[in-house]
Amino acid sequence: MKKAVAKKPAPAPAAVDPRFAHGPLGALDGDGSLYCVGGLVLDCPAKNFAALVEWTLTEAKLGTPRLNRNGKDGDPLIVITTAAAERLALPATLEDRRGLRLPEDHKVLKQITKAKWQLTRRGFGPWARVYRPAAGGQRQCVQFAILPWGALDTRSWGSAAQLPPAELAAVLRDRGSEHRRAALRDRSGSGSRLRGAP
């Protein structure tokens, strides 16, 4: 008669980092609803872009924890739908079709500069990063994907940009998870980043 062998307990699920309790990203609609992964919907009160950056970093609890102790936390991603772009006073299309960036004298960039936020050298285009220099070892950066400006190229994303915000958040989460798993295998420690993003 065989002796009973105790089964090893299943590993406990990884604890959720409270700083990023609402997931890595959200898709913002025109009524201020921010659709996050798992069906969560946050009420975003920001009426301009500078306020949206501030709210994302202080209230939204979005982002991803570092993959290892030598890595960096992943910046939160906010997807701006066509309706949200109108709410935030962004143009429906970019006049600069060659450089694909907002002109420096646009009022949204003036808002960002006045609030002492900065842009990377890429400027404010379909994929934009708005940041301040790290303080106390904490990154202060938000990445934006502007859908009406073609952030999700149909060659890579198909018709994802046409999805309702809740479904779009799920698609982006799945793509980001694939990349994150690959990064873990490679032990790159570079944080989460969506394929196709600059």
Side-chain angles (χ1 to χ4, degrees):
M1 184 175 178
K2 293 183 178 179
K3 293 182 179 179
V5 178
K7 293 183 179 180
K8 292 182 179 180
V16 175
D17 189 321
R19 296 173 302 158
F20 311 123
H22 296 154
L25 59 92
L28 184 64
D29 210 353
D31 62 356
S33 297
L34 185 73
Y35 293 83
C36 306
V37 300
L40 176 68
V41 182
L42 302 178
D43 181 19
C44 174
K47 297 296 193 300
N48 62 61
F49 220 93
L52 175 58
V53 176
E54 192 77 40
W55 177 84
T56 300
L57 291 173
T58 59
E59 302 292 337
K61 297 184 179 180
L62 296 175
T64 51
R66 65 189 68 190
L67 298 176
N68 60 54
R69 64 182 181 180
N70 296 318
K72 296 178 180 178
D73 294 331
D75 301 324
L77 169 65
I78 301 295
V79 181
I80 304 296
T81 63
T82 299
E86 183 177 354
R87 170 188 172 95
L88 295 168
L90 292 173
T93 58
L94 288 173
E95 293 181 6
D96 181 2
R97 301 307 302 166
R98 185 179 181 86
L100 289 177
R101 62 178 62 188
L102 206 59
E104 293 183 2
D105 61 351
H106 193 278
K107 64 180 182 181
V108 168
L109 297 192
K110 290 181 179 179
Q111 290 171 1
I112 291 171
T113 301
K114 185 177 180 180
K116 301 189 183 306
W117 292 102
Q118 300 177 34
L119 296 169
T120 64
R121 285 180 293 178
R122 290 178 179 269
F124 198 99
W127 287 90
R129 289 183 184 273
V130 181
Y131 73 97
R132 286 179 183 146
Q138 296 294 318
R139 286 171 64 82
Q140 300 183 83
C141 180
V142 181
Q143 183 173 2
F144 293 94
I146 318 294
L147 294 188
W149 298 353
L152 301 184
D153 193 312
T154 55
R155 291 171 295 181
S156 300
W157 293 91
S159 59
Q162 307 305 317
L163 293 172
E167 294 180 31
L168 177 58
V171 169
L172 292 170
R173 184 274 314 275
D174 292 344
R175 183 73 69 91
S177 295
E178 291 174 8
H179 182 77
R180 189 170 175 81
R181 285 193 293 269
L184 278 169
R185 289 194 297 269
D186 296 340
R187 300 183 65 83
S188 66
S190 58
S192 175
R193 193 173 177 184
L194 291 170
R195 186 175 299 170

